[in-house]
Amino acid sequence: MDKCTVVTFLICGLLQCGFVSAGENVTKVRLMGGDEPTDGRVEVFHNGEWGTICDDDWNIDSASVVCRMVGYDGALEYVHSGKFGPGEGNIWMDSVLCTGEEDNISDCPFNGWGEHDCSHHEDAGVRCNSRRIYGAKSSVSSGELDFLRLKPPRGQRRRILQTHGFVEILYQNKWRKICTDEWDKNVATVVCGQLGFPTAAPIHGLKKYMAKARKRHNYVLSNVTCYGDENSLKRCSYVVHNADKHNLCEGSGPLAIKCLSPRYSSSGHSRRRKKFSGNLRLKAGASEGEGRLEIKMSGRWGTICHRSFDLRAANVACRELGFGSAKRVLIDSYFGQGQSAVWLSGVQCIGNETSLLNCEHSVLDRRDPDDDSDPHACTHSEEIGVACHVPNTGTHKKIRLVGGRNPKEGRVEVRVKQSWGPVCSDNWTITEAKVVCKQLGLGFALHALKDVYFFPGSENATVIKMTGVNCVGDESAVHHCHHDGRHLQSCGAATHTLTPFAGVICTEMSPDLVQDVPLLQQSIHLDEQPIHNLRCAAEENCLASSADQMIDDPYGTRRLLRFSTRVWNRGRTDFQPAKQPRDWIWHQCHGHYHSMSQFTHYDILDLNRTEVAEGHKASFCLEDTECDPGVPKRFDCDQPGGGNQGIAVGCADNYQYNIDCQWIDISDVKKGNYLLRVRVNPHSLVAESDFQNNEVYCNLKYDGHRVWAWNCHIPDHYDPATIAQYYKESIYP
């Protein structure tokens, strides 16, 4: 082995290049973007450049080949759709079809180098078995320098959220320290950021603190120099030590730092993150600290264009949110498209700013993001997302799924003291399931399961450990939701079941329904209809109860508030009905199947939020009525048996005002000032990445003969102070 090869091997051993070198023709592979050394986006080295693999035809056999190449005994799971973030550069391979017996991914059939029809949103990934192959020298992920911890000095108890201590790096399966001669703010800031903390502070009484350290350690790094804007320690400069034996530190001793803890607010059992700044938020992310980045300006939330936005800007944003540094930047609306304003473009940061608005940027102070007259114009398909480093609180160790057919499903069990047991499924909803999937790092909730008798639990784990669970949805753990605590209540009495246990099915991606607000506001009007024209609607309970007494009145009429709705799917996967086709209900009068009993719900409220009239819209035909340019329609119900119902990503389902039940019967409503509320997926029967944007409110004035509607808006797009102004009596003429 020549000197160059030795140097290359040592560098890649530290930085986790993750390739095998059996010969010159062997394709190199590595895993990138994963939170564990066994996970990541698959990247291959070809023609002098790293590139990705498209997920077309990607399967467990191909994933197993990759995992063996990087030194692990096969794959647990194959991952698609850019789960570990979109890669950069070329997409080298597409339609890879391995048998699972190949030694190298390039031995499998595929389309040819660089031949593909994919985007980086379709990058393939893997989750490998943690068992290492004996003698394997390859390594994975983005580097062992990704795994840090703070170890307190002797005599101090290690805490769940450890904020100070000696910095240790997991290298070659052992925790090793960093040699230093003084506390360096830039190094401390980078380490704290990688550990999920926003910033660092000096340790008071450092000499006394250092005196509690042992004199001899296994050191792995020394001479560490950082600028302070790096997102991880591996991006700084350093000298690597021989980690096979004890070595003396030529400086003062091991590096010790103190991190400033993120801020939390507590309310009862709920513990939700309170951001450092109220001007930034993350939306539609499956894990803590990730999502579409949104900024509030003039009381209204909007998105940020990905142009010029890089890792330094992401570091500033993550720290402003109260997290650590950024793991990665995700472009092209990776977390789904926002529907409010696009506020900023051309964001460029040095990296030490305390707020994103302190960075160089262009303000897009208009509400039409598609206006080409602005040189900085940016569409909703170009929004930025970030994934931030967050502290390891260990909450994932207090919960598990058992009995599932795969790691993403099963009966929910929690650990109380030293024993495990199930959670009561009384009042168990998709909101609680969403928190569980997030806590476990398994993405979004697909289904909230009740009375899961078909998921057997662990041995002797039949004693309920948690009852009365009620989550808001943004908690980081189900333990932080409201629950009965130690005073457990009866469970399953209402259903009389012997297995009243909660379960979940988690999924990588989720849809996100958003209404077309301008269309709704422009289409609102009154209509008078004779009762004999509304017999089918009456059968579907689309009229007020007073209509029941006049259904046979040949001269009776009903006054209807009509409007059109257009519901877009701006998430990352298709929206499909809550019921399976075999459970759809045929309505003879209208001649269609109902795939959801209530797809949208309409209410007229007084200014005290008391309902004065209501309506609902069953899913007559849930299909792709229209789609964004270049997006093909996939769902069509004009076929026998109700067809193929759903809403594809980038498509919308339209219900025009002239369709039955597309109204609220206001025949009994008195004149006055009201609010119109339109809710889609009102009972959250189908999982979404964001339920907060499902409602639209409008100011509504009715004088007994005419109606006026204005200020239609999605409340989640505005801050509470701005929204409060919309619901005051003084806003009505």
Side-chain angles (χ1 to χ4, degrees):
M1 184 179 294
D2 59 25
K3 182 177 181 180
C4 182
T5 304
V6 171
V7 172
T8 302
F9 178 79
L10 289 175
I11 293 174
C12 287
L14 180 63
L15 296 185
Q16 302 269 321
C17 294
F19 61 82
V20 293
S21 54
E24 294 183 0
N25 296 325
V26 173
T27 299
K28 305 170 186 177
V29 299
R30 67 182 183 184
L31 304 184
M32 300 294 288
D35 293 332
E36 301 292 337
T38 52
D39 305 344
R41 178 181 63 253
V42 181
E43 296 192 355
V44 295
F45 192 76
H46 176 72
N47 199 27
E49 297 181 13
W50 287 101
T52 61
I53 298 177
C54 179
D55 63 10
D56 291 349
D57 298 317
W58 190 245
N59 59 31
I60 194 68
D61 294 327
S62 301
S64 294
V65 172
V66 169
C67 287
R68 288 199 305 273
M69 288 180 68
V70 294
Y72 289 94
D73 186 17
L76 290 175
E77 185 179 1
Y78 66 96
V79 178
H80 54 82
S81 305
K83 163 64 179 176
F84 296 107
E88 298 178 353
N90 292 302
I91 299 175
W92 281 131
M93 304 178 76
D94 186 16
S95 297
V96 180
L97 292 170
C98 300
T99 64
E101 302 299 324
E102 295 85 354
D103 294 325
N104 193 277
I105 193 71
S106 61
D107 295 335
C108 305
F110 64 101
N111 286 353
W113 293 108
E115 298 293 329
H116 68 88
D117 58 353
C118 307
S119 70
H120 280 299
H121 286 309
E122 301 168 88
D123 285 342
V126 296
R127 285 194 171 95
C128 301
N129 194 315
S130 60
R131 293 191 301 271
R132 296 282 293 170
I133 297 175
Y134 178 76
K137 297 182 179 180
S138 58
S139 50
V140 295
S141 189
S142 53
E144 284 182 332
L145 294 187
D146 281 344
F147 298 93
L148 305 179
R149 73 178 184 184
L150 296 179
K151 185 177 182 180
R154 287 176 292 176
Q156 290 195 21
R157 183 179 179 182
R158 183 173 177 83
R159 300 179 180 275
I160 294 176
L161 193 63
Q162 186 67 38
T163 58
H164 65 86
F166 299 105
V167 181
E168 294 189 336
I169 303 174
L170 183 62
Y171 181 65
Q172 295 181 355
N173 296 321
K174 292 184 179 179
W175 289 101
R176 309 174 192 275
K177 290 182 170 59
I178 299 174
C179 177
T180 185
D181 57 355
E182 62 180 354
W183 184 85
D184 185 293
K185 180 179 180 180
N186 289 341
V187 174
T189 298
V190 172
V191 172
C192 287
Q194 189 173 344
L195 290 169
F197 301 104
T199 188
I203 295 177
H204 296 294
L206 184 59
K207 289 185 179 180
K208 182 178 180 180
Y209 198 89
M210 298 292 287
K212 297 181 179 181
R214 294 187 177 90
K215 301 304 179 183
R216 295 177 64 85
H217 304 278
N218 279 346
Y219 290 99
V220 64
L221 300 181
S222 66
N223 299 97
V224 180
T225 302
C226 304
Y227 290 104
D229 61 353
E230 296 88 349
N231 74 320
S232 66
L233 195 61
K234 68 181 180 183
R235 295 183 180 272
C236 302
S237 64
Y238 45 77
V239 174
V240 182
H241 283 254
N242 184 350
D244 294 330
K245 61 181 181 180
H246 284 282
N247 41 63
L248 296 176
C249 180
E250 297 178 358
S252 301
L255 174 65
I257 65 171
K258 177 183 178 181
C259 302
L260 296 184
S261 177
R263 301 175 188 174
Y264 289 89
S265 62
S266 298
S267 176
H269 291 279
S270 177
R271 190 177 303 165
R272 301 194 296 273
R273 178 176 295 275
K274 181 179 180 181
K275 309 297 187 295
F276 278 14
S277 166
N279 293 324
L280 289 183
R281 70 180 184 184
L282 299 175
K283 298 289 286 185
S287 302
E288 181 83 358
E290 72 170 27
R292 181 177 61 250
L293 184 61
E294 296 191 352
I295 188 168
K296 184 175 64 178
M297 302 184 71
S298 302
R300 187 184 187 201
W301 289 100
T303 56
I304 300 173
C305 185
H306 67 208
R307 299 177 190 177
S308 302
F309 201 100
D310 59 14
L311 202 56
R312 288 178 295 182
N315 284 339
V316 173
C318 286
R319 287 193 163 104
E320 187 177 356
L321 285 162
F323 300 110
S325 55
K327 289 182 184 179
R328 54 186 177 269
V329 177
L330 301 110
I331 63 173
D332 294 330
S333 302
Y334 179 82
F335 292 102
Q337 295 184 19
Q339 293 301 297
S340 189
V342 180
W343 280 135
L344 300 184
S345 182
V347 178
Q348 298 184 63
C349 301
I350 297 173
N352 59 3
E353 295 88 347
T354 58
S355 171
L356 209 58
L357 291 176
N358 293 337
C359 302
E360 180 181 340
H361 63 271
S362 298
V363 178
L364 308 179
D365 56 350
R366 53 185 168 68
R367 300 193 174 186
D368 181 7
D370 301 312
D371 182 5
D372 294 332
S373 63
D374 190 328
H376 299 287
C378 189
T379 68
H380 281 298
S381 64
E382 302 173 279
E383 293 164 340
I384 196 69
V386 298
C388 306
H389 286 112
V390 298
N392 180 10
T393 60
T395 56
H396 63 286
K397 298 179 180 179
K398 299 179 180 180
I399 191 169
R400 67 186 183 186
L401 301 183
V402 298
R405 296 162 295 183
N406 59 65
K408 289 185 177 296
E409 68 177 25
R411 193 177 78 175
V412 180
E413 290 190 355
V414 295
R415 189 180 67 189
V416 178
K417 295 183 178 180
Q418 300 302 318
S419 62
W420 290 87
V423 177
C424 180
S425 64
D426 290 353
N427 303 315
W428 187 254
T429 70
I430 197 69
T431 304
E432 288 72 39
K434 177 181 178 181
V435 174
V436 168
C437 291
K438 180 179 180 180
Q439 181 178 354
L440 289 166
L442 297 177
F444 299 100
L446 181 62
H447 294 296
L449 305 174
K450 304 180 71 170
D451 306 334
V452 285
Y453 65 93
F454 55 90
F455 282 146
S458 56
E459 292 184 6
N460 301 320
T462 58
V463 178
I464 296 289
K465 295 293 185 179
M466 186 178 289
T467 62
V469 181
N470 184 10
C471 300
V472 175
D474 61 355
E475 296 89 349
S476 58
V478 72
H479 303 76
H480 300 159
C481 300
H482 174 82
H483 59 88
D484 295 329
R486 297 179 181 177
H487 306 288
L488 300 178
Q489 304 297 316
S490 61
C491 180
T495 56
H496 304 289
T497 178
L498 297 178
T499 58
F501 307 141
V504 297
I505 298 178
C506 304
T507 182
E508 298 287 347
M509 295 175 292
S510 198
D512 184 21
L513 298 186
V514 184
Q515 298 181 61
D516 187 327
V517 177
L519 175 66
L520 172 66
Q521 181 167 320
Q522 294 163 11
S523 61
I524 296 173
H525 67 281
L526 290 181
D527 183 32
E528 201 90 14
Q529 284 289 327
I531 192 70
H532 61 78
N533 285 348
L534 303 175
R535 289 184 179 274
C536 284
E539 289 183 13
E540 297 194 21
N541 298 316
C542 295
L543 300 176
S545 58
S546 62
D548 296 342
Q549 285 74 43
M550 59 183 304
I551 196 66
D552 296 322
D553 184 352
Y555 302 105
T557 61
R558 304 301 293 181
R559 180 163 292 179
L560 309 175
L561 180 72
R562 288 186 177 268
F563 42 82
S564 299
T565 58
R566 178 184 292 126
V567 181
W568 289 93
N569 180 3
R570 295 303 185 188
R572 297 188 59 207
T573 193
D574 299 335
F575 181 93
Q576 294 183 294
K579 297 179 179 179
Q580 296 296 318
R582 64 177 178 271
D583 298 321
W584 294 353
I585 300 173
W586 173 257
H587 190 262
Q588 184 65 39
C589 190
H590 280 127
H592 59 245
Y593 281 93
H594 288 176
S595 57
M596 292 181 67
S597 58
Q598 289 192 18
F599 176 61
T600 52
H601 200 280
Y602 316 130
D603 301 286
I604 293 180
L605 313 174
D606 65 20
L607 299 188
N608 292 323
R609 305 300 183 90
T610 302
E611 182 184 282
V612 298
E614 68 172 352
H616 72 273
K617 180 69 173 180
S619 54
F620 280 16
C621 176
L622 204 60
E623 65 178 1
D624 298 330
T625 308
E626 62 178 288
C627 299
D628 289 333
V631 178
K633 296 180 180 180
R634 299 182 52 239
F635 292 98
D636 180 6
C637 47
D638 288 337
Q639 298 177 21
N644 184 24
Q645 295 199 27
I647 308 176
V649 176
C651 296
D653 185 23
N654 294 357
Y655 284 107
Q656 296 297 320
Y657 63 82
N658 57 352
I659 298 177
D660 262 7
C661 298
Q662 191 63 34
W663 63 57
I664 301 177
D665 184 350
I666 63 169
S667 303
D668 305 321
V669 175
K670 299 177 181 179
K671 63 181 181 180
N673 299 327
Y674 300 101
L675 296 172
L676 169 65
R677 180 176 65 187
V678 179
R679 293 182 292 175
V680 64
N681 192 16
H683 302 298
S684 303
L685 296 179
V686 178
E688 298 186 50
S689 60
D690 184 7
F691 290 111
Q692 302 301 315
N693 57 7
N694 285 19
E695 291 186 338
V696 174
Y697 280 78
C698 302
N699 293 108
L700 190 72
K701 185 176 183 65
Y702 176 53
D703 69 357
H705 304 283
R706 295 169 296 176
V707 67
W708 294 266
W710 70 101
N711 277 345
C712 291
H713 61 278
I714 297 174
D716 187 55
H717 289 173
Y718 297 86
D719 67 8
T722 302
I723 286 296
Q725 300 303 314
Y726 287 167
Y727 306 149
K728 291 184 177 180
E729 190 76 43
S730 58
I731 201 172
Y732 290 84

